[in-house]
Amino acid sequence: TEALLGTVGSTLVVFGFFVVFEVLRGRTIGKRLFGFRVQGPGGKLKPNLKQSAIRNSFLLLGVIPAVGWLLVLAAAIFIAVTIHNSPTKQGWHDRTAGGTQVVDA
């Protein structure tokens, strides 16, 4: 049970990190270093809480014991493929969140 609590806890910390930074600053530390930010739907400066939570919800797959990390990896690969194949460079997670997009800062 301690391992499960650790898995759930670390997954929630990672999910919370992405959501909090996107909502408050429009970008995570990594996006800032690379000169990107997350834009809200319709060109808004930042996504709101709901949009960011939906956008990053794939990270919550990490709570599944033993295979969660693999599911998160698979989702990330799928997101990369959908971004690559999108004329607007939006992944399925962006479209599901109402049209968020990563753009140059």
Coordinates of all heavy atoms in Angstrom, one line a residue:
T1 N 0.8 -1.2 0.0 CA 0.0 0.0 0.0 C 0.8 1.3 0.0 O 0.4 2.3 -0.5 CB -0.9 0.0 1.2 OG1 -0.2 -0.1 2.4 CG2 -2.0 -1.1 1.1
E2 N 2.0 1.2 0.6 CA 2.9 2.4 0.6 C 3.4 2.7 -0.8 O 3.4 3.9 -1.2 CB 4.1 2.2 1.5 CG 3.8 2.3 3.0 CD 5.0 2.1 3.8 OE1 6.1 2.4 3.3 OE2 4.9 1.6 5.0
A3 N 3.6 1.7 -1.6 CA 4.0 1.9 -3.0 C 2.9 2.5 -3.8 O 3.1 3.4 -4.6 CB 4.5 0.6 -3.6
L4 N 1.7 2.1 -3.6 CA 0.5 2.6 -4.3 C 0.3 4.1 -3.9 O 0.1 4.9 -4.7 CB -0.7 1.8 -4.0 CG -2.0 2.3 -4.6 CD1 -1.9 2.3 -6.1 CD2 -3.2 1.5 -4.2
L5 N 0.5 4.4 -2.6 CA 0.3 5.8 -2.2 C 1.4 6.7 -2.8 O 1.1 7.8 -3.2 CB 0.4 5.9 -0.6 CG -0.9 5.4 0.1 CD1 -0.7 5.4 1.6 CD2 -2.1 6.2 -0.3
G6 N 2.6 6.1 -2.9 CA 3.7 6.9 -3.5 C 3.4 7.1 -5.0 O 3.7 8.2 -5.5
T7 N 2.9 6.1 -5.6 CA 2.6 6.2 -7.1 C 1.5 7.3 -7.3 O 1.6 8.2 -8.1 CB 2.1 4.9 -7.7 OG1 3.2 4.0 -7.5 CG2 1.7 5.0 -9.1
V8 N 0.4 7.2 -6.5 CA -0.7 8.2 -6.6 C -0.2 9.6 -6.2 O -0.5 10.5 -7.0 CB -1.9 7.7 -5.7 CG1 -2.9 8.9 -5.6 CG2 -2.5 6.5 -6.2
G9 N 0.6 9.7 -5.2 CA 1.1 11.0 -4.7 C 2.0 11.6 -5.8 O 1.8 12.8 -6.1
S10 N 2.9 10.9 -6.3 CA 3.8 11.4 -7.3 C 3.1 11.8 -8.6 O 3.4 12.8 -9.2 CB 5.0 10.5 -7.6 OG 4.6 9.3 -8.1
T11 N 2.1 11.0 -9.0 CA 1.3 11.3 -10.2 C 0.6 12.6 -10.0 O 0.6 13.5 -10.9 CB 0.4 10.1 -10.5 OG1 1.1 9.0 -10.8 CG2 -0.5 10.5 -11.7
L12 N 0.0 12.8 -8.8 CA -0.8 14.0 -8.5 C 0.1 15.2 -8.5 O -0.3 16.3 -8.9 CB -1.6 13.8 -7.3 CG -2.7 12.8 -7.3 CD1 -3.4 12.7 -6.0 CD2 -3.7 13.2 -8.4
V13 N 1.3 15.0 -8.0 CA 2.3 16.2 -7.9 C 2.7 16.6 -9.3 O 2.7 17.8 -9.7 CB 3.6 15.8 -7.1 CG1 4.7 16.8 -7.3 CG2 3.2 15.7 -5.6
V14 N 3.0 15.6 -10.2 CA 3.3 15.9 -11.6 C 2.2 16.6 -12.3 O 2.3 17.6 -13.0 CB 3.8 14.7 -12.3 CG1 3.9 14.9 -13.8 CG2 5.1 14.2 -11.8
F15 N 1.0 16.0 -12.2 CA -0.2 16.6 -12.8 C -0.4 18.0 -12.3 O -0.7 19.0 -13.1 CB -1.4 15.7 -12.5 CG -2.7 16.3 -13.0 CD1 -3.1 16.3 -14.3 CD2 -3.7 16.8 -12.0 CE1 -4.3 16.8 -14.7 CE2 -4.9 17.3 -12.5 CZ -5.2 17.3 -13.8
G16 N -0.4 18.2 -11.0 CA -0.6 19.5 -10.4 C 0.5 20.5 -10.8 O 0.1 21.7 -11.1
F17 N 1.7 20.1 -11.0 CA 2.8 21.0 -11.4 C 2.4 21.6 -12.8 O 2.5 22.8 -13.0 CB 4.1 20.2 -11.5 CG 5.2 20.9 -12.3 CD1 6.0 21.8 -11.7 CD2 5.4 20.6 -13.6 CE1 7.0 22.5 -12.3 CE2 6.4 21.2 -14.3 CZ 7.2 22.2 -13.7
F18 N 2.0 20.7 -13.8 CA 1.7 21.1 -15.1 C 0.5 22.1 -15.1 O 0.5 23.1 -15.7 CB 1.5 20.0 -16.0 CG 2.7 19.4 -16.6 CD1 3.4 18.3 -15.9 CD2 3.3 19.9 -17.7 CE1 4.6 17.8 -16.4 CE2 4.5 19.3 -18.2 CZ 5.1 18.3 -17.5
V19 N -0.5 21.7 -14.4 CA -1.8 22.5 -14.3 C -1.5 23.9 -13.7 O -1.9 24.9 -14.2 CB -2.9 21.7 -13.6 CG1 -4.1 22.6 -13.4 CG2 -3.3 20.5 -14.4
V20 N -0.9 23.9 -12.5 CA -0.6 25.1 -11.8 C 0.2 26.1 -12.7 O -0.1 27.3 -12.8 CB 0.0 24.9 -10.4 CG1 0.6 26.1 -9.8 CG2 -1.0 24.2 -9.5
F21 N 1.3 25.6 -13.2 CA 2.2 26.5 -14.0 C 1.5 27.0 -15.3 O 1.7 28.1 -15.7 CB 3.5 25.8 -14.3 CG 4.6 26.0 -13.3 CD1 4.6 25.2 -12.2 CD2 5.5 27.0 -13.4 CE1 5.6 25.3 -11.2 CE2 6.4 27.2 -12.4 CZ 6.5 26.4 -11.3
E22 N 0.7 26.1 -15.9 CA 0.0 26.6 -17.2 C -1.0 27.6 -16.8 O -1.2 28.6 -17.6 CB -0.6 25.4 -17.9 CG 0.4 24.5 -18.6 CD -0.2 23.4 -19.3 OE1 -1.5 23.2 -19.4 OE2 0.5 22.6 -19.9
V23 N -1.8 27.4 -15.8 CA -2.8 28.3 -15.4 C -2.3 29.7 -14.9 O -2.7 30.7 -15.3 CB -3.8 27.7 -14.4 CG1 -4.8 28.7 -13.8 CG2 -4.5 26.6 -15.0
L24 N -1.3 29.6 -14.0 CA -0.7 30.8 -13.5 C 0.3 31.6 -14.4 O 0.3 32.8 -14.4 CB 0.0 30.5 -12.1 CG -0.9 30.0 -11.0 CD1 -0.1 29.8 -9.7 CD2 -2.1 31.0 -10.7
R25 N 1.1 30.8 -15.1 CA 2.1 31.5 -15.9 C 2.0 31.2 -17.4 O 2.8 31.8 -18.2 CB 3.5 31.0 -15.4 CG 3.7 31.4 -13.9 CD 5.2 31.3 -13.5 NE 5.4 31.6 -12.2 CZ 5.8 32.8 -11.7 NH1 5.9 33.8 -12.6 NH2 6.0 33.0 -10.4
G26 N 1.2 30.3 -17.8 CA 1.1 30.0 -19.2 C 2.2 29.0 -19.7 O 2.2 28.7 -20.9
R27 N 3.0 28.6 -18.8 CA 4.1 27.7 -19.2 C 4.8 27.1 -18.0 O 4.8 27.7 -16.9 CB 5.1 28.4 -20.1 CG 5.8 29.7 -19.4 CD 6.5 30.4 -20.4 NE 7.1 31.6 -19.8 CZ 7.9 32.5 -20.4 NH1 8.2 32.3 -21.6 NH2 8.3 33.5 -19.8
T28 N 5.4 25.9 -18.3 CA 6.1 25.2 -17.2 C 7.6 25.8 -17.3 O 7.9 26.5 -18.2 CB 6.1 23.7 -17.4 OG1 6.7 23.5 -18.7 CG2 4.7 23.2 -17.3
I29 N 8.4 25.3 -16.4 CA 9.8 25.7 -16.4 C 10.5 25.3 -17.7 O 11.2 26.0 -18.3 CB 10.5 25.1 -15.2 CG1 9.9 25.7 -13.9 CG2 12.0 25.4 -15.3 CD1 10.3 25.0 -12.6
G30 N 10.2 24.1 -18.2 CA 10.8 23.6 -19.4 C 10.3 24.4 -20.6 O 11.2 24.7 -21.5
K31 N 9.1 24.7 -20.7 CA 8.6 25.5 -21.8 C 9.2 26.9 -21.8 O 9.6 27.4 -22.8 CB 7.1 25.6 -21.8 CG 6.4 24.3 -22.2 CD 4.9 24.5 -22.2 CE 4.1 23.2 -22.5 NZ 4.2 22.2 -21.4
R32 N 9.4 27.4 -20.6 CA 10.1 28.7 -20.5 C 11.5 28.6 -21.0 O 12.0 29.5 -21.8 CB 10.1 29.2 -19.1 CG 10.7 30.5 -18.9 CD 10.6 31.0 -17.5 NE 11.3 32.4 -17.4 CZ 11.7 32.9 -16.3 NH1 11.6 32.2 -15.2 NH2 12.3 34.1 -16.3
L33 N 12.2 27.6 -20.6 CA 13.6 27.4 -21.1 C 13.7 27.3 -22.6 O 14.7 27.8 -23.2 CB 14.3 26.2 -20.4 CG 14.6 26.3 -19.0 CD1 15.0 25.0 -18.4 CD2 15.7 27.3 -18.7
F34 N 12.7 26.7 -23.2 CA 12.7 26.5 -24.7 C 12.0 27.6 -25.4 O 11.9 27.5 -26.7 CB 12.2 25.1 -25.0 CG 13.2 24.0 -24.7 CD1 13.0 23.2 -23.5 CD2 14.3 23.7 -25.5 CE1 14.0 22.3 -23.2 CE2 15.2 22.7 -25.2 CZ 15.0 22.0 -24.1
G35 N 11.4 28.5 -24.7 CA 10.8 29.7 -25.4 C 9.4 29.4 -25.9 O 8.9 30.0 -26.9
F36 N 8.6 28.5 -25.2 CA 7.3 28.2 -25.5 C 6.3 28.6 -24.4 O 6.7 28.8 -23.3 CB 7.1 26.7 -25.8 CG 7.9 26.2 -26.9 CD1 8.9 25.2 -26.7 CD2 7.8 26.7 -28.2 CE1 9.6 24.7 -27.7 CE2 8.5 26.2 -29.2 CZ 9.5 25.2 -29.0
R37 N 5.0 28.7 -24.7 CA 4.0 28.8 -23.7 C 2.7 28.1 -24.2 O 2.6 27.9 -25.4 CB 3.7 30.3 -23.5 CG 3.1 31.1 -24.6 CD 2.8 32.5 -24.2 NE 2.3 33.3 -25.4 CZ 1.0 33.3 -25.7 NH1 0.1 32.6 -25.0 NH2 0.6 34.0 -26.8
V38 N 1.8 27.9 -23.3 CA 0.5 27.3 -23.7 C -0.5 28.4 -23.8 O -0.7 29.2 -22.9 CB 0.1 26.3 -22.6 CG1 -1.3 25.7 -23.0 CG2 1.1 25.2 -22.4
Q39 N -1.1 28.4 -25.0 CA -2.1 29.5 -25.3 C -3.5 28.9 -25.1 O -3.7 27.7 -25.4 CB -1.9 29.8 -26.7 CG -2.8 30.9 -27.3 CD -2.4 31.2 -28.7 OE1 -1.5 32.0 -28.9 NE2 -3.1 30.6 -29.7
G40 N -4.3 29.6 -24.5 CA -5.7 29.2 -24.3 C -6.5 29.2 -25.7 O -6.0 29.8 -26.6
P41 N -7.6 28.6 -25.7 CA -8.4 28.6 -26.9 C -8.7 30.0 -27.4 O -8.9 31.0 -26.6 CB -9.7 27.9 -26.5 CG -9.4 27.1 -25.3 CD -8.3 27.9 -24.6
G42 N -8.7 30.2 -28.7 CA -9.0 31.5 -29.3 C -7.9 32.5 -29.2 O -8.2 33.7 -29.3
G43 N -6.7 32.0 -28.8 CA -5.6 33.0 -28.7 C -5.5 33.6 -27.3 O -4.7 34.5 -27.2
K44 N -6.2 33.1 -26.4 CA -6.1 33.7 -25.0 C -4.7 33.4 -24.5 O -4.1 32.4 -24.8 CB -7.2 33.1 -24.1 CG -8.6 33.5 -24.4 CD -9.6 33.0 -23.5 CE -11.0 33.5 -23.9 NZ -12.0 32.8 -23.1
L45 N -4.3 34.3 -23.6 CA -2.9 34.3 -23.1 C -2.6 33.0 -22.4 O -1.5 32.4 -22.6 CB -2.7 35.5 -22.2 CG -1.2 35.7 -21.7 CD1 -0.3 35.9 -22.9 CD2 -1.2 36.9 -20.7
K46 N -3.5 32.4 -21.6 CA -3.3 31.2 -20.9 C -4.5 30.4 -20.9 O -5.6 30.9 -21.0 CB -2.9 31.5 -19.4 CG -1.6 32.4 -19.2 CD -1.4 32.6 -17.8 CE -2.3 33.7 -17.3 NZ -2.0 34.3 -16.0
P47 N -4.4 29.1 -20.7 CA -5.6 28.2 -20.5 C -6.1 28.4 -19.1 O -5.4 28.8 -18.2 CB -5.0 26.8 -20.6 CG -3.6 26.9 -20.3 CD -3.1 28.3 -20.7
N48 N -7.4 28.2 -18.9 CA -8.0 28.2 -17.6 C -7.8 26.9 -16.9 O -7.2 26.0 -17.5 CB -9.4 28.7 -17.6 CG -10.4 27.7 -18.3 OD1 -10.1 26.5 -18.3 ND2 -11.4 28.2 -18.9
L49 N -8.2 26.8 -15.6 CA -8.0 25.6 -14.8 C -8.6 24.3 -15.5 O -7.9 23.3 -15.6 CB -8.6 25.7 -13.4 CG -8.5 24.6 -12.5 CD1 -7.0 24.3 -12.2 CD2 -9.2 24.8 -11.2
K50 N -9.8 24.4 -16.0 CA -10.5 23.3 -16.6 C -9.7 22.9 -17.9 O -9.5 21.7 -18.1 CB -11.9 23.6 -17.0 CG -12.7 22.5 -17.6 CD -14.1 22.9 -17.9 CE -14.8 21.8 -18.7 NZ -16.2 22.2 -19.0
Q51 N -9.4 23.8 -18.7 CA -8.7 23.5 -20.0 C -7.3 22.9 -19.7 O -6.9 21.9 -20.3 CB -8.5 24.8 -20.8 CG -9.8 25.3 -21.3 CD -9.7 26.8 -21.6 OE1 -8.7 27.5 -21.3 NE2 -10.7 27.3 -22.3
S52 N -6.6 23.4 -18.7 CA -5.3 22.8 -18.4 C -5.4 21.4 -17.8 O -4.6 20.5 -18.1 CB -4.5 23.7 -17.5 OG -3.2 23.2 -17.2
A53 N -6.4 21.2 -16.9 CA -6.6 19.9 -16.3 C -7.0 18.9 -17.4 O -6.5 17.8 -17.4 CB -7.7 20.0 -15.3
I54 N -7.8 19.2 -18.4 CA -8.2 18.3 -19.5 C -7.0 18.1 -20.3 O -6.7 16.9 -20.7 CB -9.3 18.9 -20.3 CG1 -10.6 18.9 -19.5 CG2 -9.5 18.1 -21.6 CD1 -11.8 19.7 -20.1
R55 N -6.2 19.1 -20.6 CA -5.0 19.0 -21.5 C -4.0 18.0 -20.9 O -3.3 17.3 -21.6 CB -4.4 20.4 -21.6 CG -3.3 20.5 -22.5 CD -2.8 21.9 -22.7 NE -1.8 22.0 -23.7 CZ -0.6 21.7 -23.6 NH1 -0.1 21.2 -22.4 NH2 0.3 21.7 -24.6
N56 N -3.9 18.0 -19.6 CA -2.9 17.2 -18.9 C -3.4 15.9 -18.3 O -2.7 15.2 -17.6 CB -2.1 18.1 -17.9 CG -1.3 19.1 -18.5 OD1 -0.3 18.8 -19.2 ND2 -1.7 20.4 -18.4
S57 N -4.7 15.6 -18.5 CA -5.3 14.5 -17.9 C -4.6 13.2 -18.2 O -4.7 12.2 -17.4 CB -6.8 14.4 -18.2 OG -7.0 14.3 -19.6
F58 N -4.0 13.1 -19.3 CA -3.3 11.8 -19.7 C -2.3 11.4 -18.6 O -1.9 10.3 -18.5 CB -2.7 11.9 -21.1 CG -1.4 12.7 -21.2 CD1 -0.2 12.1 -21.1 CD2 -1.5 14.1 -21.3 CE1 1.0 12.9 -21.1 CE2 -0.3 14.8 -21.4 CZ 0.9 14.2 -21.3
L59 N -1.7 12.4 -17.9 CA -0.7 12.1 -16.9 C -1.3 11.3 -15.7 O -0.6 10.6 -15.1 CB -0.1 13.4 -16.3 CG 0.7 14.3 -17.3 CD1 0.9 15.7 -16.7 CD2 1.9 13.6 -17.7
L60 N -2.6 11.4 -15.6 CA -3.2 10.7 -14.5 C -3.3 9.2 -14.7 O -3.5 8.4 -13.8 CB -4.7 11.2 -14.3 CG -4.7 12.6 -13.8 CD1 -6.2 13.1 -13.7 CD2 -4.0 12.8 -12.5
L61 N -2.9 8.7 -15.9 CA -2.8 7.3 -16.2 C -1.7 6.7 -15.3 O -1.6 5.5 -15.1 CB -2.5 7.0 -17.6 CG -3.6 7.4 -18.6 CD1 -3.0 7.3 -20.1 CD2 -4.7 6.4 -18.5
G62 N -0.8 7.6 -14.8 CA 0.3 7.1 -14.0 C -0.1 6.5 -12.7 O 0.7 5.9 -12.0
V63 N -1.3 6.7 -12.3 CA -1.8 6.1 -11.0 C -2.1 4.6 -11.1 O -2.2 3.9 -10.1 CB -3.1 6.8 -10.4 CG1 -2.8 8.3 -10.2 CG2 -4.3 6.6 -11.3
I64 N -2.1 4.1 -12.3 CA -2.4 2.7 -12.5 C -1.1 1.9 -12.1 O -0.1 2.1 -12.7 CB -2.8 2.4 -14.0 CG1 -4.1 3.2 -14.3 CG2 -3.0 0.9 -14.2 CD1 -4.5 3.1 -15.7
P65 N -1.3 1.0 -11.1 CA -0.1 0.3 -10.7 C 0.6 -0.6 -11.8 O -0.1 -1.1 -12.7 CB -0.7 -0.7 -9.6 CG -1.9 0.0 -9.2 CD -2.5 0.7 -10.4
A66 N 1.9 -0.6 -11.8 CA 2.7 -1.4 -12.6 C 2.8 -0.9 -14.1 O 3.9 -0.9 -14.7 CB 2.4 -2.9 -12.6
V67 N 1.7 -0.5 -14.7 CA 1.7 -0.1 -16.1 C 1.4 1.3 -16.4 O 1.4 1.8 -17.5 CB 0.8 -1.0 -16.9 CG1 1.2 -2.5 -16.9 CG2 -0.7 -0.8 -16.5
G68 N 1.2 2.1 -15.3 CA 0.8 3.5 -15.5 C 1.8 4.3 -16.3 O 1.5 5.0 -17.2
W69 N 3.1 4.1 -15.9 CA 4.2 4.8 -16.6 C 4.2 4.5 -18.1 O 4.5 5.4 -18.9 CB 5.5 4.5 -15.9 CG 6.0 3.1 -16.1 CD1 5.7 2.0 -15.4 CD2 6.7 2.6 -17.2 NE1 6.2 0.9 -15.9 CE2 6.9 1.2 -17.0 CE3 7.3 3.2 -18.3 CZ2 7.6 0.4 -17.9 CZ3 8.0 2.4 -19.2 CH2 8.2 1.0 -19.0
L70 N 3.9 3.2 -18.4 CA 3.9 2.8 -19.8 C 2.7 3.4 -20.6 O 2.9 3.8 -21.7 CB 3.8 1.3 -19.9 CG 4.0 0.6 -21.2 CD1 5.4 1.0 -21.8 CD2 3.9 -0.9 -21.1
L71 N 1.6 3.5 -19.9 CA 0.4 4.2 -20.5 C 0.7 5.7 -20.7 O 0.3 6.2 -21.8 CB -0.8 3.9 -19.7 CG -1.3 2.5 -19.5 CD1 -2.4 2.3 -18.5 CD2 -1.6 1.9 -20.9
V72 N 1.3 6.3 -19.8 CA 1.7 7.7 -19.9 C 2.6 7.9 -21.1 O 2.4 8.8 -22.0 CB 2.3 8.3 -18.7 CG1 2.8 9.7 -18.9 CG2 1.2 8.4 -17.5
L73 N 3.6 7.0 -21.2 CA 4.5 7.1 -22.3 C 3.8 6.9 -23.7 O 4.0 7.6 -24.6 CB 5.6 6.0 -22.2 CG 6.6 5.9 -23.3 CD1 7.4 7.2 -23.5 CD2 7.6 4.8 -23.0
A74 N 2.9 5.9 -23.7 CA 2.2 5.6 -24.9 C 1.3 6.8 -25.3 O 1.2 7.2 -26.5 CB 1.3 4.4 -24.8
A75 N 0.7 7.5 -24.3 CA -0.2 8.7 -24.6 C 0.7 9.8 -25.1 O 0.3 10.5 -26.0 CB -0.9 9.1 -23.3
A76 N 1.9 10.0 -24.5 CA 2.8 11.0 -25.0 C 3.3 10.8 -26.4 O 3.3 11.8 -27.2 CB 4.0 11.1 -24.0
I77 N 3.5 9.6 -26.8 CA 3.9 9.3 -28.1 C 2.7 9.6 -29.1 O 2.9 10.2 -30.1 CB 4.4 7.8 -28.3 CG1 5.7 7.7 -27.6 CG2 4.5 7.4 -29.7 CD1 6.1 6.2 -27.4
F78 N 1.5 9.2 -28.7 CA 0.3 9.4 -29.5 C 0.1 10.9 -29.6 O -0.2 11.4 -30.7 CB -0.9 8.8 -28.8 CG -2.2 9.0 -29.6 CD1 -2.4 8.4 -30.8 CD2 -3.2 9.8 -29.1 CE1 -3.5 8.5 -31.6 CE2 -4.3 10.0 -29.9 CZ -4.5 9.4 -31.1
I79 N 0.3 11.7 -28.6 CA 0.2 13.2 -28.6 C 1.2 13.7 -29.6 O 0.9 14.6 -30.4 CB 0.4 13.8 -27.2 CG1 -0.8 13.5 -26.4 CG2 0.7 15.3 -27.3 CD1 -0.7 13.8 -24.9
A80 N 2.5 13.2 -29.6 CA 3.5 13.7 -30.5 C 3.1 13.4 -31.9 O 3.3 14.3 -32.8 CB 4.8 13.1 -30.2
V81 N 2.6 12.3 -32.2 CA 2.1 11.9 -33.5 C 1.0 12.8 -34.0 O 1.0 13.3 -35.1 CB 1.7 10.4 -33.6 CG1 1.1 10.1 -34.9 CG2 3.0 9.5 -33.4
T82 N 0.0 13.0 -33.1 CA -1.1 13.9 -33.5 C -0.7 15.3 -33.7 O -1.2 16.0 -34.6 CB -2.3 13.8 -32.5 OG1 -1.8 14.2 -31.2 CG2 -2.9 12.4 -32.4
I83 N 0.3 15.8 -33.0 CA 0.8 17.2 -33.2 C 1.5 17.2 -34.5 O 1.3 18.1 -35.3 CB 1.8 17.6 -32.1 CG1 1.1 17.8 -30.7 CG2 2.6 18.8 -32.4 CD1 2.0 17.9 -29.5
H84 N 2.3 16.2 -34.8 CA 3.1 16.2 -36.1 C 2.1 16.2 -37.3 O 2.4 16.8 -38.3 CB 4.0 15.0 -36.1 CG 4.7 14.8 -37.4 ND1 5.8 15.6 -37.7 CD2 4.5 13.9 -38.4 CE1 6.2 15.2 -39.0 NE2 5.5 14.2 -39.4
N85 N 1.0 15.5 -37.2 CA 0.1 15.3 -38.3 C -1.0 16.4 -38.3 O -1.8 16.4 -39.3 CB -0.6 13.9 -38.2 CG 0.3 12.8 -38.4 OD1 1.3 13.0 -39.2 ND2 0.1 11.7 -37.8
S86 N -1.0 17.3 -37.4 CA -2.0 18.4 -37.4 C -1.5 19.6 -38.1 O -0.4 20.1 -37.9 CB -2.3 18.8 -35.9 OG -3.0 20.0 -35.8
P87 N -2.3 20.2 -39.0 CA -1.9 21.4 -39.7 C -1.7 22.6 -38.7 O -1.0 23.5 -39.0 CB -3.0 21.7 -40.7 CG -4.2 20.9 -40.2 CD -3.6 19.7 -39.4
T88 N -2.4 22.6 -37.6 CA -2.3 23.6 -36.6 C -1.3 23.3 -35.5 O -1.1 24.1 -34.5 CB -3.6 23.9 -35.9 OG1 -4.1 22.7 -35.3 CG2 -4.6 24.5 -36.9
K89 N -0.7 22.1 -35.6 CA 0.3 21.6 -34.6 C -0.3 21.5 -33.2 O 0.3 21.8 -32.2 CB 1.6 22.5 -34.5 CG 2.3 22.5 -35.9 CD 2.7 21.1 -36.3 CE 3.4 21.1 -37.6 NZ 3.4 19.8 -38.2
Q90 N -1.5 21.0 -33.2 CA -2.2 20.7 -31.9 C -2.4 19.2 -31.8 O -2.8 18.5 -32.7 CB -3.6 21.4 -31.9 CG -3.6 22.9 -31.8 CD -4.9 23.5 -32.0 OE1 -5.5 23.3 -33.0 NE2 -5.4 24.1 -30.9
G91 N -2.1 18.7 -30.6 CA -2.3 17.3 -30.3 C -3.8 17.1 -29.9 O -4.6 18.0 -29.7
W92 N -4.1 15.8 -29.7 CA -5.5 15.5 -29.3 C -5.8 16.1 -28.0 O -7.0 16.5 -27.7 CB -5.7 14.0 -29.3 CG -5.0 13.2 -28.2 CD1 -3.8 12.7 -28.3 CD2 -5.5 13.0 -26.9 NE1 -3.4 12.1 -27.1 CE2 -4.5 12.3 -26.2 CE3 -6.6 13.4 -26.2 CZ2 -4.6 12.0 -24.9 CZ3 -6.7 13.0 -24.9 CH2 -5.7 12.3 -24.2
H93 N -4.8 16.2 -27.1 CA -5.0 16.8 -25.8 C -5.4 18.3 -25.9 O -6.2 18.8 -25.1 CB -3.8 16.5 -24.9 CG -2.6 17.2 -25.3 ND1 -2.1 17.2 -26.6 CD2 -1.7 18.0 -24.6 CE1 -1.0 17.9 -26.6 NE2 -0.7 18.4 -25.4
D94 N -4.8 19.0 -26.9 CA -5.1 20.4 -27.1 C -6.6 20.5 -27.7 O -7.3 21.4 -27.2 CB -4.2 21.0 -28.1 CG -2.8 21.2 -27.5 OD1 -2.7 21.7 -26.4 OD2 -1.8 20.9 -28.2
R95 N -6.9 19.7 -28.6 CA -8.3 19.8 -29.2 C -9.3 19.4 -28.1 O -10.4 20.0 -28.1 CB -8.3 18.9 -30.4 CG -7.5 19.4 -31.6 CD -7.8 18.7 -32.9 NE -7.4 17.2 -32.8 CZ -6.2 16.7 -33.1 NH1 -5.2 17.5 -33.3 NH2 -6.0 15.4 -33.0
T96 N -9.0 18.4 -27.3 CA -10.0 18.0 -26.3 C -10.2 19.1 -25.2 O -11.2 19.2 -24.7 CB -9.5 16.7 -25.6 OG1 -9.3 15.7 -26.6 CG2 -10.4 16.2 -24.5
A97 N -9.1 19.9 -25.0 CA -9.2 21.0 -24.0 C -9.8 22.2 -24.6 O -9.7 23.3 -24.0 CB -7.8 21.3 -23.5
G98 N -10.4 22.1 -25.8 CA -11.1 23.3 -26.4 C -10.3 24.1 -27.4 O -10.8 25.1 -27.9
G99 N -9.1 23.7 -27.6 CA -8.3 24.4 -28.6 C -7.0 25.0 -28.1 O -6.6 26.0 -28.6
T100 N -6.5 24.5 -27.0 CA -5.2 25.1 -26.5 C -4.1 24.8 -27.5 O -4.3 23.9 -28.4 CB -4.9 24.5 -25.1 OG1 -4.7 23.0 -25.2 CG2 -5.9 24.8 -24.0
Q101 N -3.0 25.5 -27.3 CA -1.9 25.3 -28.3 C -0.6 25.7 -27.7 O -0.6 26.7 -27.0 CB -2.2 26.0 -29.6 CG -1.3 25.8 -30.7 CD -1.7 26.4 -32.0 OE1 -2.6 27.3 -32.0 NE2 -1.2 26.0 -33.1
V102 N 0.5 25.0 -28.0 CA 1.8 25.5 -27.5 C 2.3 26.4 -28.7 O 2.3 26.0 -29.8 CB 2.7 24.3 -27.2 CG1 4.1 24.8 -27.0 CG2 2.2 23.5 -26.1
V103 N 2.7 27.6 -28.3 CA 3.2 28.6 -29.3 C 4.5 29.2 -28.8 O 4.9 29.0 -27.6 CB 2.2 29.7 -29.5 CG1 0.9 29.1 -30.1 CG2 1.9 30.4 -28.2
D104 N 5.2 29.9 -29.6 CA 6.4 30.6 -29.2 C 6.0 31.7 -28.2 O 5.0 32.3 -28.4 CB 7.1 31.2 -30.4 CG 7.7 30.2 -31.4 OD1 8.1 29.1 -30.9 OD2 7.8 30.5 -32.6
A105 N 6.9 31.8 -27.2 CA 6.6 32.8 -26.1 C 6.8 34.2 -26.6 O 7.5 34.5 -27.4 CB 7.4 32.5 -24.9

